[in-house]
Amino acid sequence: MHASQVVLAPIVSEKSYEGSTRGTYTFRVHPDAHKTQIRQAVEELFEVKVRRVNIVKVPAKPKRRGMFRGTQPGWKKAVVQLRPGDTIEIFEGAQI
């Protein structure tokens, strides 16, 4: 997979924005990607050095609207910690 197919989007929330002050960034990633692919993709796309990658699988949620039932699909996110001194500019201007 190409790096842009592994890292799908940054996750911008209060929790992830607070983590960016400590060098930790959160991304939505491809469901089949593993830690090594995520590390290589982040290093290639943002030209930084990754110290640690943690992966969280967000489970599917059952949803109901009236009598219609369905599920909200699950997805995978990666919490990436960078080497001290490295930053990603996407998160610097985010206001929550």
Side-chain angles (χ1 to χ4, degrees), residues 8-9 29 54:
L8 301 178
V29 295
N54 291 336

Side-chain angles (χ1 to χ4, degrees), residues 28-46:
R28 186 172 185 149
V29 295
H30 192 276
D32 296 331
H34 51 77
K35 288 185 178 187
T36 306
Q37 287 177 328
I38 295 168
R39 175 189 300 269
Q40 292 171 350
V42 170
E43 287 179 352
E44 181 182 332
L45 290 173
F46 302 108

Side-chain angles (χ1 to χ4, degrees), residues 38-65:
I38 295 168
R39 175 189 300 269
Q40 292 171 350
V42 170
E43 287 179 352
E44 181 182 332
L45 290 173
F46 302 108
E47 299 172 1
V48 294
K49 290 292 183 184
V50 175
R51 175 184 274 185
R52 184 175 69 205
V53 177
N54 291 336
I55 295 177
V56 180
K57 290 189 80 168
V58 179
K61 290 182 177 180
K63 295 290 179 181
R64 198 176 99 191
R65 182 152 182 109

Side-chain angles (χ1 to χ4, degrees), residues 10-31:
I11 297 174
V12 180
S13 64
E14 289 181 18
K15 188 173 183 179
S16 66
Y17 184 70
E18 191 271 325
S20 67
T21 60
R22 293 178 280 124
T24 304
Y25 299 92
T26 308
F27 297 97
R28 186 172 185 149
V29 295
H30 192 276

